[in-house]
Coordinates of all heavy atoms in Angstrom, one line a residue:
H3 N 3.3 -11.9 -19.2 CA 3.2 -10.7 -18.4 C 2.2 -10.9 -17.2 O 2.2 -10.2 -16.3 CB 2.7 -9.5 -19.2 CG 3.7 -9.2 -20.4 ND1 5.0 -9.3 -20.2 CD2 3.4 -8.9 -21.6 CE1 5.6 -9.0 -21.3 NE2 4.7 -8.7 -22.2
R4 N 1.3 -11.9 -17.4 CA 0.3 -12.2 -16.4 C 1.0 -12.6 -15.1 O 0.6 -12.1 -14.0 CB -0.5 -13.4 -16.8 CG -1.5 -13.9 -15.8 CD -2.5 -14.9 -16.4 NE -3.1 -15.7 -15.4 CZ -4.1 -15.2 -14.6 NH1 -4.6 -14.0 -14.8 NH2 -4.7 -16.0 -13.7
A5 N 2.1 -13.4 -15.2 CA 2.8 -13.8 -13.9 C 3.4 -12.6 -13.2 O 3.4 -12.5 -12.0 CB 3.8 -14.8 -14.3
R6 N 4.0 -11.7 -14.0 CA 4.6 -10.5 -13.4 C 3.5 -9.6 -12.8 O 3.7 -9.1 -11.7 CB 5.3 -9.7 -14.5 CG 6.5 -9.0 -13.9 CD 7.4 -8.4 -15.0 NE 7.3 -9.2 -16.2 CZ 7.6 -8.8 -17.4 NH1 8.0 -7.6 -17.6 NH2 7.5 -9.6 -18.5
N7 N 2.4 -9.4 -13.4 CA 1.3 -8.6 -12.9 C 0.8 -9.3 -11.6 O 0.5 -8.6 -10.6 CB 0.2 -8.4 -13.9 CG 0.5 -7.4 -14.9 OD1 1.4 -6.6 -14.7 ND2 -0.2 -7.4 -16.0
R8 N 0.6 -10.6 -11.6 CA 0.2 -11.2 -10.4 C 1.2 -11.1 -9.2 O 0.8 -10.9 -8.1 CB -0.1 -12.7 -10.7 CG -1.3 -13.0 -11.5 CD -1.5 -14.4 -11.9 NE -1.5 -15.3 -10.8 CZ -2.5 -15.6 -10.0 NH1 -3.7 -15.1 -10.2 NH2 -2.4 -16.5 -9.0
W9 N 2.5 -11.1 -9.6 CA 3.5 -10.8 -8.5 C 3.4 -9.4 -8.0 O 3.5 -9.2 -6.8 CB 4.9 -11.1 -9.1 CG 6.0 -10.7 -8.2 CD1 6.4 -11.4 -7.2 CD2 6.6 -9.4 -8.1 NE1 7.4 -10.7 -6.5 CE2 7.5 -9.5 -7.1 CE3 6.6 -8.3 -8.9 CZ2 8.4 -8.5 -6.7 CZ3 7.4 -7.2 -8.6 CH2 8.3 -7.3 -7.5
R10 N 3.2 -8.5 -8.9 CA 3.0 -7.1 -8.5 C 1.8 -6.9 -7.5 O 1.9 -6.2 -6.5 CB 2.9 -6.1 -9.7 CG 4.1 -5.9 -10.4 CD 4.0 -4.9 -11.5 NE 4.9 -5.0 -12.6 CZ 6.2 -4.8 -12.5 NH1 6.7 -4.4 -11.4 NH2 7.0 -5.0 -13.6
L11 N 0.7 -7.5 -7.9 CA -0.5 -7.4 -7.1 C -0.3 -8.1 -5.7 O -0.8 -7.6 -4.7 CB -1.7 -8.0 -7.8 CG -2.2 -7.3 -9.1 CD1 -3.2 -8.1 -9.8 CD2 -2.7 -5.9 -8.7
R12 N 0.3 -9.2 -5.7 CA 0.6 -9.9 -4.5 C 1.5 -9.1 -3.6 O 1.2 -9.0 -2.4 CB 1.2 -11.3 -4.8 CG 1.3 -12.2 -3.6 CD 1.7 -13.6 -4.0 NE 3.0 -13.7 -4.6 CZ 3.2 -14.0 -5.9 NH1 2.1 -14.4 -6.6 NH2 4.3 -14.0 -6.5
T13 N 2.5 -8.5 -4.2 CA 3.4 -7.6 -3.4 C 2.7 -6.4 -2.8 O 2.9 -6.0 -1.7 CB 4.6 -7.2 -4.3 OG1 5.2 -8.3 -4.8 CG2 5.6 -6.4 -3.5
M14 N 1.8 -5.9 -3.6 CA 1.0 -4.7 -3.2 C 0.1 -5.1 -2.0 O 0.1 -4.4 -1.0 CB 0.2 -4.2 -4.4 CG -0.7 -3.0 -4.0 SD -1.8 -2.6 -5.4 CE -3.0 -3.9 -5.2
R15 N -0.6 -6.2 -2.2 CA -1.4 -6.7 -1.1 C -0.7 -6.9 0.2 O -1.1 -6.6 1.3 CB -2.2 -7.9 -1.5 CG -3.3 -7.6 -2.5 CD -4.2 -8.8 -2.7 NE -4.9 -8.7 -4.0 CZ -4.5 -9.3 -5.1 NH1 -3.6 -10.2 -5.1 NH2 -5.2 -9.1 -6.2
E16 N 0.5 -7.5 0.1 CA 1.4 -7.8 1.3 C 1.7 -6.5 1.9 O 1.7 -6.4 3.2 CB 2.6 -8.6 0.9 CG 2.4 -10.0 0.5 CD 3.6 -10.7 -0.1 OE1 4.6 -10.0 -0.2 OE2 3.5 -11.9 -0.4
A17 N 2.1 -5.5 1.2 CA 2.4 -4.2 1.7 C 1.2 -3.5 2.5 O 1.4 -2.9 3.5 CB 2.9 -3.2 0.7
L18 N 0.0 -3.7 1.9 CA -1.2 -3.1 2.5 C -1.5 -3.9 3.8 O -1.9 -3.2 4.8 CB -2.4 -3.2 1.5 CG -2.2 -2.4 0.2 CD1 -3.4 -2.6 -0.7 CD2 -2.1 -0.9 0.6
K19 N -1.3 -5.2 3.8 CA -1.6 -5.9 5.0 C -0.6 -5.6 6.1 O -0.9 -5.5 7.3 CB -1.5 -7.4 4.7 CG -2.7 -8.0 4.0 CD -2.6 -9.4 3.7 CE -3.7 -9.9 2.8 NZ -3.5 -11.3 2.5
K20 N 0.7 -5.4 5.7 CA 1.7 -4.9 6.7 C 1.4 -3.6 7.3 O 1.5 -3.4 8.5 CB 3.1 -4.9 5.9 CG 4.2 -4.5 6.8 CD 5.5 -4.4 6.0 CE 6.6 -3.9 6.9 NZ 7.9 -3.7 6.1
F21 N 0.9 -2.7 6.4 CA 0.4 -1.4 6.9 C -0.7 -1.5 7.9 O -0.7 -0.9 9.0 CB 0.0 -0.5 5.8 CG -0.6 0.8 6.2 CD1 0.2 1.9 6.7 CD2 -2.0 1.0 6.2 CE1 -0.4 3.0 7.2 CE2 -2.6 2.2 6.7 CZ -1.8 3.2 7.1
D22 N -1.7 -2.4 7.6 CA -2.9 -2.6 8.5 C -2.4 -3.1 9.8 O -2.9 -2.7 10.9 CB -3.8 -3.6 7.8 CG -4.6 -3.0 6.7 OD1 -4.7 -1.7 6.6 OD2 -5.2 -3.7 5.9
D23 N -1.4 -4.0 9.8 CA -0.9 -4.6 11.0 C -0.2 -3.6 11.8 O -0.4 -3.5 13.1 CB 0.0 -5.8 10.7 CG 0.4 -6.5 11.9 OD1 -0.4 -7.0 12.6 OD2 1.7 -6.6 12.1
K24 N 0.6 -2.7 11.2 CA 1.3 -1.7 11.9 C 0.3 -0.6 12.5 O 0.6 -0.1 13.6 CB 2.3 -0.9 11.0 CG 3.4 -1.8 10.5 CD 4.4 -2.1 11.5 CE 5.6 -2.9 10.8 NZ 6.5 -3.4 11.8
V25 N -0.7 -0.3 11.8 CA -1.7 0.7 12.3 C -2.3 0.1 13.6 O -2.5 0.9 14.6 CB -2.8 1.0 11.3 CG1 -4.0 1.7 11.9 CG2 -2.2 1.9 10.2
V26 N -2.7 -1.2 13.6 CA -3.4 -1.7 14.8 C -2.4 -2.0 15.9 O -2.7 -1.7 17.1 CB -4.1 -3.0 14.3 CG1 -4.7 -3.7 15.5 CG2 -5.1 -2.7 13.3
H27 N -1.2 -2.5 15.6 CA -0.4 -3.1 16.7 C 0.9 -2.3 17.0 O 1.6 -2.7 18.0 CB 0.0 -4.5 16.4 CG -1.2 -5.4 16.2 ND1 -2.1 -5.7 17.2 CD2 -1.7 -6.1 15.1 CE1 -3.0 -6.5 16.8 NE2 -2.8 -6.8 15.5
S28 N 1.2 -1.3 16.3 CA 2.5 -0.7 16.4 C 2.4 0.8 16.7 O 1.3 1.4 16.7 CB 3.4 -0.9 15.2 OG 3.6 -2.3 15.0
S29 N 3.6 1.5 16.8 CA 3.6 2.9 17.1 C 3.2 3.7 15.8 O 3.2 3.1 14.7 CB 5.0 3.3 17.6 OG 5.9 3.2 16.5
V30 N 3.0 5.0 16.0 CA 2.7 5.8 14.8 C 3.8 5.9 13.9 O 3.7 5.9 12.7 CB 2.3 7.3 15.3 CG1 2.1 8.2 14.2 CG2 1.1 7.2 16.2
E31 N 5.1 5.9 14.4 CA 6.2 6.1 13.5 C 6.4 4.8 12.7 O 6.7 4.9 11.5 CB 7.5 6.3 14.4 CG 8.6 6.9 13.6 CD 8.3 8.1 12.8 OE1 7.6 9.0 13.3 OE2 8.6 8.2 11.6
E32 N 6.2 3.6 13.2 CA 6.3 2.4 12.5 C 5.2 2.4 11.4 O 5.4 1.9 10.3 CB 6.2 1.2 13.4 CG 7.4 1.0 14.2 CD 7.3 -0.2 15.1 OE1 6.4 -1.0 14.9 OE2 8.2 -0.4 16.0
A33 N 4.0 2.8 11.8 CA 2.9 2.9 10.8 C 3.2 3.8 9.7 O 2.9 3.6 8.5 CB 1.6 3.3 11.5
R34 N 3.8 5.0 10.0 CA 4.2 6.0 9.0 C 5.2 5.4 8.0 O 5.1 5.6 6.8 CB 4.7 7.2 9.7 CG 5.1 8.3 8.7 CD 5.4 9.6 9.4 NE 4.1 10.2 9.9 CZ 3.9 10.5 11.2 NH1 4.8 10.3 12.1 NH2 2.7 11.0 11.5
Q35 N 6.1 4.6 8.5 CA 7.1 4.0 7.7 C 6.5 2.9 6.8 O 6.8 2.9 5.6 CB 8.2 3.3 8.5 CG 9.4 2.8 7.7 CD 10.1 3.9 7.0 OE1 10.3 5.0 7.5 NE2 10.6 3.6 5.8
A36 N 5.6 2.2 7.3 CA 4.8 1.2 6.5 C 4.0 1.9 5.4 O 3.8 1.4 4.3 CB 4.0 0.3 7.4
Y37 N 3.4 3.1 5.8 CA 2.6 3.9 4.8 C 3.5 4.3 3.6 O 3.1 4.2 2.5 CB 2.1 5.1 5.5 CG 1.5 6.1 4.6 CD1 0.2 5.9 4.0 CD2 2.1 7.3 4.3 CE1 -0.3 6.8 3.1 CE2 1.6 8.2 3.5 CZ 0.4 8.0 2.9 OH -0.2 8.9 2.0
L38 N 4.7 4.8 3.9 CA 5.6 5.2 2.9 C 6.0 4.1 1.9 O 6.0 4.2 0.7 CB 6.8 5.9 3.4 CG 6.6 7.2 4.2 CD1 7.9 7.6 4.8 CD2 6.1 8.2 3.3
E39 N 6.2 2.9 2.5 CA 6.6 1.7 1.7 C 5.4 1.3 0.8 O 5.5 1.0 -0.3 CB 7.0 0.6 2.6 CG 8.3 0.8 3.3 CD 8.6 -0.2 4.3 OE1 7.9 -1.3 4.4 OE2 9.6 0.0 5.1
A40 N 4.2 1.3 1.4 CA 3.0 0.9 0.7 C 2.7 1.9 -0.4 O 2.3 1.5 -1.6 CB 1.8 0.9 1.6
C41 N 2.9 3.2 -0.2 CA 2.6 4.2 -1.3 C 3.6 4.0 -2.4 O 3.2 4.1 -3.6 CB 2.8 5.6 -0.7 SG 1.4 6.1 0.3
Q42 N 4.9 3.7 -2.1 CA 5.9 3.5 -3.1 C 5.5 2.3 -4.0 O 5.5 2.3 -5.2 CB 7.2 3.2 -2.5 CG 8.4 3.1 -3.4 CD 9.7 3.0 -2.7 OE1 9.7 2.7 -1.5 NE2 10.8 3.2 -3.4
I43 N 5.0 1.2 -3.4 CA 4.6 0.0 -4.1 C 3.4 0.3 -4.9 O 3.2 -0.2 -6.0 CB 4.5 -1.2 -3.1 CG1 5.8 -1.6 -2.6 CG2 3.8 -2.4 -3.8 CD1 5.8 -2.6 -1.5
L44 N 2.4 1.0 -4.3 CA 1.2 1.3 -5.1 C 1.5 2.2 -6.3 O 1.0 1.9 -7.4 CB 0.2 2.1 -4.2 CG -0.6 1.3 -3.2 CD1 -1.3 2.2 -2.2 CD2 -1.7 0.5 -3.9
D45 N 2.4 3.1 -6.2 CA 2.8 3.9 -7.3 C 3.5 3.1 -8.4 O 3.2 3.2 -9.6 CB 3.7 5.1 -6.9 CG 3.0 6.2 -6.2 OD1 1.7 6.3 -6.4 OD2 3.6 6.9 -5.4
K46 N 4.3 2.2 -8.0 CA 5.1 1.4 -8.9 C 4.1 0.4 -9.6 O 4.2 0.2 -10.8 CB 6.1 0.5 -8.1 CG 7.0 -0.3 -9.0 CD 8.1 0.6 -9.6 CE 9.2 -0.2 -10.2 NZ 10.2 0.6 -10.9
T47 N 3.1 -0.1 -8.9 CA 2.2 -1.0 -9.5 C 1.3 -0.3 -10.5 O 1.0 -0.8 -11.6 CB 1.3 -1.7 -8.4 OG1 2.1 -2.3 -7.4 CG2 0.4 -2.7 -8.9
A48 N 0.9 0.9 -10.2 CA 0.1 1.7 -11.1 C 0.9 2.1 -12.3 O 0.4 2.1 -13.5 CB -0.4 2.9 -10.4
S49 N 2.2 2.5 -12.1 CA 3.0 2.9 -13.3 C 3.2 1.8 -14.3 O 3.4 2.0 -15.4 CB 4.3 3.5 -12.8 OG 5.1 2.4 -12.3
K50 N 3.2 0.5 -13.8 CA 3.4 -0.6 -14.6 C 2.1 -1.1 -15.2 O 2.1 -2.0 -16.1 CB 4.0 -1.8 -13.8 CG 5.4 -1.5 -13.3 CD 6.4 -1.2 -14.4 CE 7.7 -0.9 -13.9 NZ 8.7 -0.5 -14.9
G51 N 1.0 -0.5 -14.8 CA -0.3 -0.9 -15.5 C -1.1 -2.0 -14.8 O -2.1 -2.5 -15.4
A52 N -0.6 -2.5 -13.7 CA -1.3 -3.6 -13.1 C -2.6 -3.2 -12.4 O -3.5 -3.9 -12.3 CB -0.4 -4.3 -12.0
I53 N -2.6 -1.9 -11.9 CA -3.8 -1.3 -11.4 C -3.9 0.1 -12.1 O -2.9 0.6 -12.5 CB -3.8 -1.2 -9.9 CG1 -2.7 -0.3 -9.4 CG2 -3.8 -2.5 -9.2 CD1 -2.8 0.0 -7.9
H54 N -5.1 0.7 -12.0 CA -5.3 2.0 -12.6 C -4.7 3.1 -11.6 O -4.7 2.9 -10.4 CB -6.8 2.3 -12.8 CG -7.1 3.4 -13.7 ND1 -7.2 4.7 -13.2 CD2 -7.3 3.5 -15.0 CE1 -7.4 5.5 -14.2 NE2 -7.5 4.8 -15.3
K55 N -4.2 4.2 -12.2 CA -3.6 5.2 -11.3 C -4.6 5.8 -10.3 O -4.2 6.2 -9.2 CB -3.0 6.3 -12.2 CG -4.0 7.1 -13.0 CD -3.3 8.2 -13.8 CE -4.4 9.0 -14.5 NZ -3.8 10.2 -15.1
N56 N -5.9 5.9 -10.7 CA -6.9 6.4 -9.8 C -7.1 5.4 -8.6 O -7.4 5.9 -7.5 CB -8.2 6.7 -10.5 CG -8.1 7.8 -11.4 OD1 -7.1 8.5 -11.5 ND2 -9.2 8.1 -12.2
Q57 N -7.0 4.1 -8.9 CA -7.2 3.2 -7.8 C -6.0 3.3 -6.8 O -6.2 3.3 -5.6 CB -7.2 1.7 -8.4 CG -7.4 0.7 -7.3 CD -7.3 -0.7 -7.7 OE1 -6.9 -1.0 -8.8 NE2 -7.8 -1.6 -6.9
A58 N -4.8 3.5 -7.4 CA -3.7 3.7 -6.5 C -3.8 5.0 -5.6 O -3.6 5.0 -4.4 CB -2.4 3.8 -7.3
A59 N -4.3 6.1 -6.3 CA -4.5 7.3 -5.5 C -5.6 7.1 -4.5 O -5.5 7.7 -3.3 CB -4.9 8.4 -6.5
R60 N -6.7 6.4 -4.8 CA -7.7 6.2 -3.8 C -7.2 5.4 -2.6 O -7.5 5.7 -1.5 CB -8.9 5.5 -4.5 CG -10.1 5.2 -3.6 CD -11.2 4.6 -4.4 NE -10.9 3.2 -4.8 CZ -10.8 2.8 -6.0 NH1 -11.1 3.6 -7.0 NH2 -10.5 1.6 -6.3
R61 N -6.5 4.4 -2.9 CA -5.9 3.5 -1.8 C -5.0 4.3 -0.9 O -5.0 4.2 0.3 CB -5.3 2.3 -2.4 CG -6.2 1.3 -2.9 CD -5.5 0.1 -3.5 NE -6.4 -0.9 -4.0 CZ -6.4 -2.2 -3.7 NH1 -5.6 -2.6 -2.7 NH2 -7.2 -3.0 -4.2
K62 N -4.1 5.1 -1.6 CA -3.2 6.0 -0.8 C -3.9 6.9 0.1 O -3.6 7.2 1.3 CB -2.2 6.7 -1.7 CG -1.2 5.8 -2.3 CD -0.2 6.4 -3.3 CE -0.2 7.8 -3.5 NZ 0.7 8.3 -4.5
S63 N -5.0 7.5 -0.4 CA -5.8 8.5 0.3 C -6.4 7.8 1.6 O -6.4 8.3 2.7 CB -6.9 9.0 -0.6 OG -7.8 9.9 0.2
R64 N -6.9 6.6 1.4 CA -7.6 5.8 2.5 C -6.5 5.4 3.5 O -6.8 5.5 4.7 CB -8.3 4.6 1.9 CG -9.6 5.0 1.2 CD -10.2 3.8 0.6 NE -11.4 4.3 -0.2 CZ -12.1 3.5 -1.0 NH1 -11.8 2.2 -1.1 NH2 -13.2 4.0 -1.6
L65 N -5.3 5.0 3.0 CA -4.3 4.7 4.0 C -3.9 5.9 4.8 O -3.7 5.8 6.0 CB -3.0 4.1 3.2 CG -3.2 2.8 2.5 CD1 -1.9 2.5 1.8 CD2 -3.6 1.7 3.4
N66 N -3.8 7.0 4.1 CA -3.4 8.3 4.8 C -4.4 8.7 5.9 O -4.1 9.1 7.0 CB -3.2 9.4 3.8 CG -2.5 10.6 4.4 OD1 -1.7 10.4 5.4 ND2 -2.7 11.7 3.9
A67 N -5.7 8.5 5.5 CA -6.8 8.8 6.5 C -6.6 7.9 7.7 O -6.8 8.4 8.9 CB -8.1 8.6 5.8
R68 N -6.3 6.6 7.5 CA -6.2 5.7 8.7 C -4.9 6.1 9.5 O -5.0 6.0 10.7 CB -6.0 4.3 8.2 CG -7.3 3.8 7.6 CD -7.3 2.3 7.4 NE -7.1 1.6 8.6 CZ -6.7 0.3 8.7 NH1 -6.4 -0.4 7.6 NH2 -6.5 -0.3 9.9
L69 N -3.9 6.5 8.8 CA -2.7 6.9 9.5 C -2.9 8.2 10.4 O -2.5 8.2 11.6 CB -1.5 7.2 8.5 CG -0.2 7.6 9.1 CD1 0.4 6.4 10.0 CD2 0.8 7.9 8.0
K70 N -3.6 9.1 9.8 CA -4.0 10.4 10.6 C -4.9 10.0 11.7 O -4.7 10.6 12.8 CB -4.6 11.4 9.6 CG -3.7 12.1 8.7 CD -4.4 13.2 8.0 CE -3.4 13.9 7.1 NZ -4.1 15.0 6.3
A71 N -5.8 9.1 11.6 CA -6.7 8.8 12.7 C -5.9 8.2 13.8 O -6.2 8.4 15.0 CB -7.8 7.8 12.2
K72 N -4.9 7.3 13.5 CA -4.1 6.8 14.5 C -3.2 7.8 15.2 O -3.0 7.8 16.4 CB -3.2 5.7 13.9 CG -2.3 5.0 15.0 CD -1.5 3.9 14.4 CE -0.5 3.3 15.4 NZ -1.2 2.6 16.5
A73 N -2.7 8.8 14.4 CA -1.8 9.8 15.0 C -2.6 10.7 15.9 O -2.0 11.2 16.9 CB -1.2 10.6 13.8
T74 N -3.9 11.0 15.6 CA -4.6 11.9 16.5 C -5.3 11.1 17.7 O -5.7 11.8 18.6 CB -5.7 12.6 15.7 OG1 -6.6 11.7 15.1 CG2 -5.1 13.5 14.6
A75 N -5.4 9.8 17.5 CA -6.1 9.1 18.6 C -5.2 8.8 19.8 O -4.0 8.9 19.8 CB -6.6 7.7 18.1

């Protein structure tokens, strides 16, 4: 199960990096799409037990704050 959890964490980190890249270099709509994908992966990772559900919620909250900051800026 270790290998599967490591794959889930790696996939999660890739989604978060993709979101960060979209926030900095792309339009709000592309960033919003990356946010939705990242949230889906975070929820899946938490439901499988690779991360705690509160960690997933915290990360989603922080991503949403960054997305809103981009949308209003």
Side-chain angles (χ1 to χ4, degrees):
H3 302 319
R4 175 172 162 77
R6 208 169 334 158
N7 282 342
R8 286 173 56 83
W9 173 81
R10 286 188 205 289
L11 291 173
R12 188 169 60 246
T13 305
M14 180 188 74
R15 287 190 203 103
E16 287 170 1
L18 296 176
K19 285 179 187 176
K20 181 179 174 185
F21 172 77
D22 287 341
D23 188 56
K24 296 285 185 187
V25 165
V26 174
H27 300 296
S28 299
S29 68
V30 174
E31 201 49 49
E32 288 181 11
R34 184 170 286 121
Q35 187 62 36
Y37 168 76
L38 293 174
E39 291 171 13
C41 285
Q42 186 177 15
I43 291 173
L44 279 165
D45 287 335
K46 187 77 166 177
T47 306
S49 72
K50 297 299 180 181
I53 62 172
H54 195 274
K55 64 177 185 170
N56 289 358
Q57 182 185 15
R60 184 178 65 240
R61 287 181 182 234
K62 286 177 8 181
S63 175
R64 290 176 181 170
L65 294 180
N66 194 29
R68 291 190 63 199
L69 183 63
K70 282 186 176 180
K72 180 177 178 66
T74 57

